Amino acid sequence: PGDPQDIITNDVDIDWSSQDDNPGDPENEDERDEDDDYTATDDADDVPIVGSLDVEKTVDNATATIGDILTYTLTVNVSEGTITNLDIDDTLPTGFIYQANSAVIVNNGDITFAGVNLADLEASGNAVLGAGNVLAIDIASLLNPGGSNGTANTADNLDVDSFQIQYQVLVSNNAVINNGDTETNSADADADGVPPDNDNVADVDIIEPELNITKIATDDTPHYGDIVTYTVRVEHVLPP
């Protein structure tokens, strides 16, 4: 069917010859008219091939506490054909620390990528952590032959298949991360010849241990001269 952003054109040229309304006596060579030549041209409206781009963002744990490692997954659905200049800007919450060299591409089926190290996107320059805690993932070109991920490919429609980008972050001991907070991670995506897909989010609820302090006396009705021992117990407990 072609690639996204391709333009399908359909032009027709017709050439023909015929005689005029008074061809003369065909038996008389002097009266026979020569054939007239004609040409006609027409074209249909151009038809652009519009592909698709859809990103779904998930996290392996919807609750976390300080020191936890979280794995985020971007499931990228792309139409059949060649997709160029795929850019994903993934904004991490403040205090979430990207783990170096953790960005990988998995479950890509038959989809191939030009110049990309699937096992380490940073190593091939396809993942860069920039200002504002934004993880920028840029892929110059990818090819989806169609029929990947167990789906059927037909000649009539652009097939849609997927691959996944995964990476890890550390929930740091930062003053802006507090018990009961909901930390939102948002990813925006665009590519040539397809509509952008923005505001793909995954939320994580922060749970921090709380101190539970209890005090116990060995004798709550002592007499004069008795020795009373107090015990103070301090425990970390997770909130309900």
Side-chain angles (χ1 to χ4, degrees):
D3 293 329
Q5 74 186 316
D6 283 354
I7 302 294
I8 297 177
T9 61
N10 190 342
D11 302 329
V12 60
D13 296 325
I14 301 177
D15 299 322
W16 75 95
S17 299
S18 69
Q19 293 181 335
D20 58 25
D21 293 337
N22 183 21
D25 183 1
E27 299 297 328
N28 187 336
E29 183 176 352
D30 294 333
E31 293 187 12
R32 286 203 301 267
D33 290 344
E34 294 183 357
D35 291 345
D36 295 324
D37 295 329
Y38 301 90
T39 298
T41 300
D42 198 6
D43 57 79
D45 293 337
D46 292 343
V47 179
I49 297 178
V50 180
S52 62
L53 170 64
D54 178 70
V55 176
E56 302 168 18
K57 186 173 182 63
T58 57
V59 63
D60 65 335
N61 198 337
T63 60
T65 190
I66 302 302
D68 282 352
I69 298 289
L70 300 174
T71 299
Y72 284 100
T73 299
L74 297 167
T75 299
V76 184
N77 301 282
V78 293
S79 51
E80 171 186 5
T82 299
I83 301 291
T84 56
N85 295 320
L86 171 63
D87 297 324
I88 301 176
D89 289 335
D90 200 342
T91 303
L92 309 180
T94 300
F96 279 32
I97 300 176
Y98 169 72
Q99 300 300 283
N101 304 103
S102 66
V104 299
I105 289 179
V106 296
N107 301 324
N108 57 300
D110 295 326
I111 299 175
T112 56
F113 307 83
V116 177
N117 184 343
L118 303 186
D120 187 349
L121 298 185
E122 280 179 87
S124 52
N126 299 105
V128 177
L129 184 66
N133 215 21
V134 176
L135 181 63
I137 300 171
D138 300 321
I139 297 174
S141 177
L142 66 90
L143 173 62
N144 176 15
S148 185
N149 306 120
T151 59
N153 185 27
T154 69
D156 298 328
N157 300 293
L158 287 178
D159 190 16
V160 175
D161 298 297
S162 67
F163 63 94
Q164 292 180 323
I165 300 171
Q166 292 182 340
Y167 65 89
Q168 294 181 322
V169 301
L170 168 69
V171 182
S172 69
N173 187 17
N174 190 299
V176 301
I177 299 178
N178 297 289
N179 185 45
D181 289 350
T182 297
E183 302 292 345
T184 299
N185 184 320
S186 177
D188 297 337
D190 62 74
D192 293 340
V194 297
D197 183 25
N198 297 325
D199 301 322
N200 303 283
V201 301
D203 292 334
V204 174
D205 294 327
I206 301 299
I207 298 176
E208 292 187 296
E210 297 178 351
L211 287 180
N212 183 31
I213 302 175
T214 56
K215 185 175 181 180
I216 304 172
T218 56
D219 189 349
D220 56 1
T221 57
H223 297 286
Y224 180 77
D226 287 350
I227 301 296
V228 179
T229 301
Y230 289 94
T231 301
V232 178
R233 175 175 295 174
V234 181
E235 296 176 296
H236 274 293
V237 294
L238 290 176

